[in-house]
Amino acid sequence: MNRMYRRQRHIYDGTRRYYLLGRDRLITGLRPGAGASVLEIGCGTGRNLVLAARLYPAARFFGIDVSTEMLTSAMTAISRRGLTDRIRTAYGDGTGFDPQTLFGMQSFDHVTISYSLSMIPDWRRVLEEAASHLKPAVVYTLSISKPGTIA
């Protein structure tokens, strides 16, 4: 993944503006409550995390990605917008990760996945992992958008 995104990460969001149409809708439909925790699996450049943190200032955001190149872009974007106190990122594989080790948390109120499933061969395992890291609640939120759909 690093080889693929080493150069693409610099133009990724701009070149996918119209291709990844469901991202903004996914974020506006999220509506996390005050103090809620939101994890994005495959956070890439951090674009979604930054937008969500701006829309929902009372929530906390977390992101994992398997590409350290993309995480470098995410950390830069988060820092540039002064959101390092509300957004944390870490290297992590969506098919198996420990949120306690990465973020000091057992589970999240919301988990989002935006288009990264198409890049992961074992995408079913990612969905299982996502569901296993959701807090028990009356309603579970697992938001997924992938090419050809609008979340």
Side-chain angles (χ1 to χ4, degrees):
M1 295 310 276
N2 278 339
R3 192 172 339 135
M4 178 185 301
Y5 289 121
R6 184 164 288 122
R7 289 179 180 43
Q8 281 188 36
R9 70 184 176 97
H10 300 288
I11 60 169
Y12 184 87
D13 291 325
T15 60
R16 283 152 176 87
R17 169 177 255 142
Y18 301 105
Y19 175 68
L20 304 177
L21 296 174
R23 294 190 303 176
D24 292 345
R25 194 169 182 189
L26 178 144
I27 294 164
T28 57
L30 190 59
R31 297 186 183 104
S37 57
V38 180
L39 170 68
E40 181 175 22
I41 297 174
C43 67
T45 63
R47 181 238 187 233
N48 296 345
L49 292 170
V50 167
L51 179 58
R54 288 174 145 176
L55 280 175
Y56 308 108
R60 298 171 298 137
F61 295 89
F62 304 85
I64 63 169
D65 205 291
V66 74
S67 169
T68 56
E69 293 288 340
M70 290 297 249
L71 283 173
T72 298
S73 289
M75 289 184 283
T76 299
I78 292 162
S79 178
R80 185 178 299 134
R81 287 163 185 85
L83 295 168
T84 55
D85 59 330
R86 299 206 19 256
I87 304 172
R88 294 179 53 201
T89 59
Y91 174 82
D93 183 337
T95 63
F97 62 95
D98 179 10
Q100 183 65 46
T101 301
L102 297 176
F103 303 115
M105 302 178 63
Q106 291 289 66
S107 57
F108 303 90
D109 296 297
H110 305 271
V111 176
T112 64
I113 304 169
S114 175
Y115 294 98
S116 62
L117 285 179
S118 64
M119 302 293 292
I120 303 169
D122 194 1
W123 59 269
R124 286 179 179 90
R125 181 69 193 133
V126 175
L127 295 177
E128 291 168 1
E129 275 293 300
S132 75
H133 296 304
L134 281 168
K135 288 181 180 175
V138 175
V139 177
Y140 288 107
T141 302
L142 176 62
S143 300
I144 303 167
S145 62
K146 60 183 198 176
T149 65
I150 297 178

